[in-house]
Structures are given as C-alpha cells and as structure tokens.
Amino acid sequence: MAEMEAPLSTPCNIQICEVTCDSFRIVWDMPPEDTARATHFFIDLSRKESKDPNRFKHRDVPTKLVAKAVPLPMAVRGHWFLSPRTEYCVAVQTAVRQPDGDYLVSEWSQVVEFCTGDYAMEHLQQLLDKAKGSAGRLLKFSVFYRNQHPDYFDRVRKECGGLMRPALKDNSGSHGSPINAKLQGVFFSCNTEFDTGLPPKDSPYGPLRFQIAAAHLLNPNICLYFADFYCMYTAYHYVVLVLAPAGSEGDAFCRTRLPMLDLASNPFLTYTAPERQGEEPLCCHASDVILEVLFTEPVLLDQGSVEQISGHHQLMSLTTANAKKDPSCKVCNISVGR
C-alpha cells in the first residue's frame, strides 16, 4: 500500500509588497521540503467587507486563483480587476497535485489585509489622452471665480485674515486620482458662457462669487498639472487641473504623480504672454468640458472682489462634492490591469 504523503505545513508570515493600483506581490514562509514539492498555490482574494449589512454580496463569484508554484514573491495582476485605493483581504494555501488530479493541500493561512495604490503616471496619461478627446475649442477668459455662501467669506475675513486657505481635496472623481484626500488647494472655476464670454450667472456652490484676474493664478511662475477626468452619470465631463507655483510644496507633490502640461500649448487651459508692453496676457479655457482648477496656495480676498451673482443659487445636488464617477462611462474610464 502506498505510503501516505506528509501533510503540507500552513503558509505563515505572509507579506504583501510592491502594491500598485492593479497589482501586488505576495511572499510567505514555508519549509524547504514544502517548497520542493508544492506544485500549485491557491490565492483567495476578496474585497474587505463593507460595514453595510444590507450590501448585496455575489456569493457565486469565484475569488480563488489557482497558480502553478513559482519562486516567491509571486506577482498577482490581471487575474482580477483590482480597483485602486481599495482594501482587500488575501489568504494562501499550498498544494501538491496528485496523479489522479486531486490536490493535497495545506491549511489556509491567516488572512492579511492590504490596500491598493493610486493611479500611476501611465494610468493618468491614459486618462489625459481620453480627456483630450472631449476638450472643445479654446475660449478666451479673464477671471477665475469661486462661489461660496456668505458665512464662508465671513469666516475668511474674521478668522483667516482675509486669506482663503487651501483645504484637502475630497474623494470626488476617479477613485484612483493621486490628489484625492492628499493634496490641499483652493478650487476655482474659469468656464464662461458661449454668448457672453463671462462666467455663468448661476452656481450650486453659493450666491456670493469671488473673482480674481486670471493672470494672478495663471502665469509663467505657475506649473500646470492634469489630475482627473470624470463624469457623474451626466452628458458633460469634468477635467481637474492643478495650478502650483513652481518650487512650492504643491509643485513637489504633483511633479512625481501627475502629468505636467505646457502652459502655452495644451487642450485645457493656456497662458500666452503679451507681445507688447502694456498689453494683457491671453488666457484660454477649453469648451465642452467643465474645468475644476485647484490652486495649491492661499489666496487673499483683497486680490479680487466678492459680489452677489445675478442668477439663481442652484441646488447643492448639482455640486461635485464627494461625487462618485460613473464607472460605466466609456468616455472617461480607463482599463487598468490588462
């Protein structure tokens, strides 16, 4: 009678390394005799459970990967559509394939949790290429503007010495954008209406509007970065840009994480220096997309003016605060992990 094969020991000391937005490497300890005879690894990967007890779970979706044994660390990519900035749980099992096709398996290891990373530069470049396809012709504009409620401007004057201070970017837009919940700034708009060339009369952000000459924020001392392209189940799309003074903390943050754009020549936001002394510089914004411009430094109210808008203060539901990107839109989604 054939001798019973010794059981495989349980994989231990599991470590996850080289995590990106769509891949990771996994390594664990096992005795040399197991390393020599293991023919396969089973990896069980699942999203960390949401705290919401009513969330519907697809129990029939397979989460296990059967892989031929390879030298560790083992790269895991492309087998699942991993999402960026998402918490996952992973456990491993080693196995020896028997002549009859069955497997001798170890016990499952302990479950280890990890979180995938942000979009890498290559993914942002893909997003940028898609955004270029949606940007319309360039239109001249003369002011950046920011709508808020009266209490916001009261607080800026009374508590902040008239300085609009940068705030942490929320999680709106693409889940993998590197600036979400990491980069601070003051948001501005610059889109104008076709017929007037002026900012729109309405806003969902508040009835008071701060306006500042475009060249205050957009000039040769500023670095321009592309940060995101998204929509919220709507026909129109948003492009998020970052303006950071050269050499600033914001510039240092963006330089290694976001594609830099040429101020004089890009499809979204351009600055052209005046040809003659005394002339104004020419600033232009893309039509057909809504630009959200994050300026990474504080801005003084005294550098511009605050006035009541003439149109309606629209519903807050029209704002993009923490808005989730439409994952099914073919225009603004990219494939990672393929």
Side-chain angles (χ1 to χ4, degrees):
M1 189 171 146
E3 194 179 316
M4 285 286 287
E5 198 167 350
L8 289 155
S9 58
T10 307
C12 61
N13 191 25
I14 292 176
Q15 292 181 45
I16 306 291
C17 57
E18 295 179 42
V19 179
T20 70
C21 70
D22 60 354
S23 68
F24 63 93
R25 285 181 179 271
I26 185 167
V27 62
W28 60 88
D29 292 343
M30 54 181 173
E33 57 271 22
D34 283 6
T35 304
R37 64 192 179 122
T39 60
H40 290 79
F41 300 146
F42 297 164
I43 314 280
D44 190 355
L45 180 76
S46 58
R47 282 189 188 221
K48 193 174 170 184
E49 274 306 306
S50 161
K51 299 283 187 287
D52 179 3
N54 299 319
R55 184 166 162 264
F56 178 74
K57 179 163 169 49
H58 294 281
R59 298 207 173 273
D60 56 344
V61 174
T63 60
K64 293 181 185 62
L65 166 72
V66 180
K68 284 191 173 169
V70 294
L72 299 177
M74 172 183 160
V76 179
R77 63 163 59 83
H79 309 289
W80 292 275
F81 291 110
L82 291 176
S83 298
R85 283 196 183 197
T86 304
E87 291 183 316
Y88 288 94
C89 302
V90 66
V92 297
Q93 197 177 38
T94 55
V96 179
R97 190 181 170 102
Q98 307 293 292
D100 62 3
D102 279 349
Y103 289 96
L104 171 71
V105 294
S106 71
E107 295 288 322
W108 280 104
S109 71
Q110 286 190 310
V111 173
V112 173
E113 295 178 0
F114 71 99
C115 187
T116 46
D118 299 333
Y119 281 156
M121 195 73 88
E122 63 182 291
H123 303 117
L124 285 158
Q125 194 60 51
Q126 287 178 43
L127 211 52
L128 170 57
D129 291 341
K130 288 210 155 209
K132 285 177 178 175
S134 287
R137 66 192 179 93
L138 288 168
L139 302 174
K140 184 180 171 184
F141 77 102
S142 58
V143 294
F144 284 100
Y145 55 94
R146 173 177 174 80
N147 274 70
Q148 282 286 352
H149 289 275
D151 57 356
Y152 169 82
F153 290 111
D154 287 344
R155 194 170 69 251
V156 166
R157 288 190 187 97
K158 289 172 185 166
E159 297 171 27
C160 307
L163 211 56
M164 290 190 289
R165 293 202 176 125
L168 203 59
K169 162 77 172 70
D170 66 8
N171 281 308
S172 59
S174 300
H175 201 48
S177 176
I179 70 170
N180 286 354
K182 287 188 181 173
L183 182 64
Q184 296 200 332
V186 184
F187 261 116
F188 288 93
S189 301
C190 61
N191 287 76
T192 55
E193 299 199 312
F194 281 105
D195 49 350
T196 63
L198 298 171
K201 295 185 176 72
D202 305 321
S203 171
Y205 294 99
L208 293 183
R209 176 173 290 164
F210 170 77
Q211 289 193 172
I212 186 168
H216 264 299
L217 307 186
L218 188 64
N219 57 62
N221 303 316
I222 300 290
C223 296
L224 173 64
Y225 295 94
F226 170 84
D228 203 0
F229 177 50
Y230 72 99
C231 71
M232 304 181 297
Y233 304 89
T234 49
Y236 45 87
H237 281 80
Y238 295 85
V239 172
V240 182
L241 303 173
V242 179
L243 292 177
S248 66
E249 270 185 51
D251 182 31
F253 178 92
C254 296
R255 199 163 284 263
T256 55
R257 295 173 175 87
L258 303 178
M260 193 182 207
L261 301 175
D262 181 348
L263 268 186
S265 174
N266 72 83
F268 311 113
L269 191 65
T270 60
Y271 170 90
T272 308
E275 290 181 8
R276 296 179 195 82
Q277 209 169 0
E279 287 186 356
E280 291 291 310
L282 175 65
C283 298
C284 294
H285 72 81
S287 55
D288 302 339
V289 289
I290 297 172
L291 298 183
E292 297 184 308
V293 181
L294 190 70
F295 188 75
T296 61
E297 296 294 308
V299 178
L300 265 172
L301 285 183
D302 287 352
Q303 289 183 305
S305 61
V306 178
E307 289 165 20
Q308 181 96 18
I309 55 172
S310 59
H312 298 289
H313 164 54
Q314 298 164 318
L315 293 172
M316 275 303 284
S317 60
L318 294 172
T319 72
T320 59
N322 284 307
K324 292 289 168 269
K325 179 172 182 170
D326 176 1
S328 64
C329 177
K330 300 240 180 339
V331 175
C332 62
N333 281 282
I334 56 170
S335 317
V336 291
R338 287 185 194 175

